[in-house]
Amino acid sequence: SQQGEEDPQALSIQEGENATMNCSYKTSINNLQWYRQNSGRGLVHLILIRSNEREKHSGRLRVTLDTSKKSSSLLITASRAADTASYFCATGAGYSTLTFGKGTMLLVSP
Amino acid sequence: DSGVTQTPKHLITATGQRVTLRCSPRSGDLSVYWYQQSLDQGLQFLIQYYNGEERAKGNILERFSAQQFPDLHSELNLSSLELGDSALYFCASSDRDRDQPQHFGDGTRLSIL
């Protein structure tokens, strides 16, 4: 079964707007990771946040983690058409490999 | 470029056949992971090898097998293929065996006719 579940399933915005995607999970984790997948390509690692961290930034990306609610969010600021992709969260629990959710499809229109 | 190389990019074959997918991990990475991605099942973890040894097993069918060679490249063997095996198969690598970013290849698209 999938550990992480992304919400929404699909998101459509205009260039320049912010995009927020959420991820919920069920069991204790060591870390949570976000990946991007362009159509038909391999996943690209974006950011890793450890269970003792609450927020992390990387360029236009901001990730938050709330372990009490077992949830994370990915914020992409000032979206560009090139950000159009599917975004996946994946959880790592130390004793097993990463478990990926089904992803959020983001469409950024010019 | 992730540094992970998968060959071939596309495979078209018939039911009942056997195919081998190949993966060269990023230089220095000891772990190799195999995933299957389809529209209905999403991204499913199949199996992981770490420095030549099987480390974790996921939703891998008995008709599928894998191995990692001393030079760290890996092969995924799929046999007695069925229509439902049509999917994108990804290989990923990481430097350690868990809780690390994974670097994905561009996948092999397998089509069963």
Side-chain angles (χ1 to χ4, degrees):
Chain A
S1 63
Q2 300 285 5
Q3 164 76 309
E5 289 191 11
E6 295 88 348
D7 171 65
Q9 287 188 317
L11 180 60
S12 183
I13 60 174
Q14 300 290 120
E15 264 192 328
E17 294 180 341
N18 295 343
T20 300
M21 287 158 267
N22 302 296
C23 171
S24 60
Y25 57 93
K26 294 176 183 170
T27 61
S28 296
I29 61 171
N30 283 1
N31 67 83
L32 187 142
Q33 303 181 32
W34 286 91
Y35 288 78
R36 182 187 75 229
Q37 183 180 30
N38 290 89
S39 180
R41 303 296 300 276
L43 279 71
V44 175
H45 179 261
L46 296 176
I47 199 164
L48 181 154
I49 185 166
R50 302 200 182 279
S51 59
N52 60 354
E53 298 175 309
R54 291 295 168 259
E55 188 170 312
K56 205 160 183 181
H57 296 256
S58 176
R60 293 183 296 112
L61 306 180
R62 172 179 169 253
V63 168
T64 62
L65 179 64
D66 187 335
T67 53
S68 66
K69 294 182 180 177
K70 292 186 168 57
S71 68
S72 172
S73 67
L74 170 66
L75 168 67
I76 304 174
T77 59
S79 296
R80 306 166 181 168
D83 295 327
T84 294
S86 291
Y87 291 82
F88 295 85
C89 69
T91 53
Y95 53 83
S96 64
T97 59
L98 292 181
T99 306
F100 286 83
K102 291 201 171 185
T104 292
M105 290 181 59
L106 174 65
L107 173 63
V108 182
S109 302
Chain B
D1 182 12
S2 68
V4 178
T5 304
Q6 287 189 249
T7 56
K9 291 193 185 317
H10 303 277
L11 257 181
I12 301 174
T13 188
T15 55
Q17 295 299 304
R18 173 189 169 95
V19 297
T20 297
L21 313 183
R22 182 187 167 97
C23 169
S24 293
R26 204 177 58 143
S27 178
D29 285 356
L30 299 178
S31 260
V32 169
Y33 311 80
W34 285 98
Y35 293 89
Q36 179 193 60
Q37 187 177 42
S38 60
L39 281 175
D40 54 343
Q41 294 292 321
L43 192 66
Q44 297 281 319
F45 166 68
L46 296 178
I47 197 164
Q48 177 201 2
Y49 280 82
Y50 177 75
N51 204 19
E53 295 188 0
E54 183 182 303
R55 184 56 62 101
K57 226 168 183 176
N59 300 323
I60 188 166
L61 300 172
E62 284 192 11
R63 301 183 284 109
F64 296 0
S65 65
Q67 54 184 328
Q68 186 179 30
F69 296 86
D71 67 353
L72 300 178
H73 90 271
S74 178
E75 292 180 356
L76 178 67
N77 300 296
L78 315 176
S79 61
S80 302
L81 287 168
E82 302 175 358
L83 293 176
D85 298 328
S86 294
L88 258 175
Y89 290 84
F90 288 108
C91 167
S93 71
S94 67
D95 59 350
R96 294 201 289 271
D97 64 341
R98 62 191 64 184
D99 290 344
Q100 296 297 312
Q102 294 183 15
H103 306 276
F104 281 73
D106 276 340
T108 293
R109 184 172 294 278
L110 177 63
S111 299
I112 312 298
L113 303 180

